[in-house]
Amino acid sequence: QAVKKAVPVSSETRQLLEIAIQWAKATHGAFDPTVAPIVQLWGIGGEHPRIPADNELKKAIGLVDYRDIKISGDTVFLRRTGQGVDLGGIAKGYAADRVTAFLRSHGVASALIDLGGNVVAIGSKKDKTPWNIGIQNPGLPRGNALGFVSVTDRSVVTSGTYERFFEANGRRYHHILSPQTGAPAVSGLESVTVVSERSADGDALSTAFFVMGIQNATELLKDLPDIEAIFVRREKDRYRIEVTEGIYDRFTLLDKTAAVFRLKR
Ligand code: ADP
Ligand code: MG
């Protein structure tokens, strides 16, 4: 509808769109909330996922551009027919922030909110020690952790290839897409975890870092002193875990076959 006329949205939707656009700018479109045309073509997570044809993808890629979202008051307009917004890469984080604010406003001083890959720790545990948040082993069923990070009052969000995918022709197609190629992002990463104050930021950034790859992400992290990250890659027969300096001492390795490195920004 928004390509025909400016459509009214709730103030929450407008706020969320603004945060999404902010991160799209900062990540030079690695995170882009207008990926909807590409997401729809693949249908990953839906009932009929498929590999799109090249010409379809080309057309869809051309429609992806966050600069075409026009917000005016509480209305949203998209410049071109066929464009669409998909907030799947940030909405869960935003929801977690709203739950956090709600609990805090009711005086909750200690809680763990887990929306699946999106965790917010309020305060510390009852015994005053930090919350320990597991970092999923990308190759094993849910619940198997490579290690954990100890936090108080922080959001911990992970984006990984193992979250949602389908298999065709012996290949695995996951749900984090490169707005440039229109295909599942191939950056050598298995997962990216972002530790931040606001979960919406962590959600957008974990998706963006995954698309950008560790080198570009490390470069961007120089401008984001309050953001910490954990990058997991596969290295022959072990996992290589890179942890930014600010949380290096708060990371505990559980999988002793994996190797942990301190990441300087
Ligand atoms: P999860 O949903 O597993 O927590 P993410 O936060 O990484 O994972 O979000 C993935 C979702 O975000 C996809 O299902 C899709 O809706 C959307 N998405 C995919 N690629 C991008 C991208 N490059 N920029 C913004 N959103 C994306
Ligand atoms: Mg995300």
Side-chain angles (χ1 to χ4, degrees):
Q1 287 301 309
V3 298
K4 296 197 186 100
K5 57 174 183 15
V7 295
V9 296
S10 66
S11 66
E12 283 94 348
T13 302
R14 181 180 50 75
Q15 270 177 44
L16 176 52
L17 272 171
E18 277 167 356
I19 304 171
I21 293 167
Q22 175 209 324
W23 286 121
K25 276 186 194 145
T27 64
H28 306 290
F31 176 87
D32 192 321
T34 63
V35 286
I38 312 179
V39 173
Q40 278 159 17
L41 275 184
W42 287 90
I44 298 167
E47 274 176 47
H48 304 288
R50 65 182 185 95
I51 303 167
D54 284 347
N55 62 329
E56 288 179 304
L57 267 184
K58 217 168 148 187
K59 200 175 146 207
I61 294 166
L63 291 168
V64 177
D65 191 341
Y66 63 91
R67 290 166 300 191
D68 290 341
I69 306 175
K70 304 292 172 201
I71 301 177
S72 168
D74 272 349
T75 66
V76 179
F77 180 68
L78 290 170
R79 275 187 51 212
R80 291 178 286 145
T81 307
Q83 287 188 311
V85 164
D86 179 330
L87 294 167
I90 189 170
K92 221 199 283 181
Y94 182 77
D97 287 331
R98 296 301 302 266
V99 173
T100 304
F102 175 81
L103 291 177
R104 282 218 172 97
S105 76
H106 284 269
V108 174
S110 169
L112 196 67
I113 300 152
D114 184 352
L115 304 187
N118 238 283
V119 172
V120 177
I122 298 182
S124 49
K125 287 191 282 187
K126 265 187 172 166
D127 63 6
K128 304 277 190 269
T129 61
W131 291 103
N132 297 325
I133 316 297
I135 307 300
Q136 172 69 33
N137 181 322
L140 294 177
R142 202 177 260 274
N144 290 283
L146 285 175
F148 60 85
V149 59
S150 304
V151 296
T152 48
D153 285 316
R154 279 287 177 284
S155 155
V156 182
V157 181
T158 302
S159 282
T161 52
Y162 55 86
E163 283 286 345
R164 252 181 294 153
F165 58 84
F166 77 101
E167 272 159 351
N169 311 330
R171 281 194 54 191
R172 183 181 269 207
Y173 297 92
H174 61 80
H175 71 311
I176 304 170
L177 303 168
S178 158
Q180 270 174 0
T181 66
V186 192
S187 57
L189 288 161
E190 298 277 330
S191 78
V192 180
T193 299
V194 172
V195 179
S196 60
E197 200 161 311
R198 205 164 62 163
S199 202
D201 300 338
D203 198 357
L205 279 172
S206 61
T207 304
F209 287 169
F210 192 93
V211 172
M212 297 164 80
I214 188 164
Q215 246 160 355
N216 289 330
T218 309
E219 204 46 46
L220 180 58
L221 276 165
K222 288 180 184 166
D223 300 330
L224 307 170
D226 299 332
I227 304 290
E228 304 291 343
I230 300 168
F231 299 91
V232 177
R233 290 187 276 176
R234 198 161 193 118
E235 200 177 56
K236 288 193 192 125
D237 50 358
R238 66 170 188 184
Y239 285 107
R240 181 186 175 90
I241 307 169
E242 269 143 303
V243 183
T244 52
E245 282 178 305
I247 51 166
Y248 184 80
D249 293 336
R250 290 184 202 153
F251 181 78
T252 306
L253 185 68
L254 292 174
D255 179 345
K256 302 296 182 204
T257 66
V260 192
F261 298 88
R262 186 190 289 262
L263 186 67
K264 282 201 173 67
R265 59 181 97 200

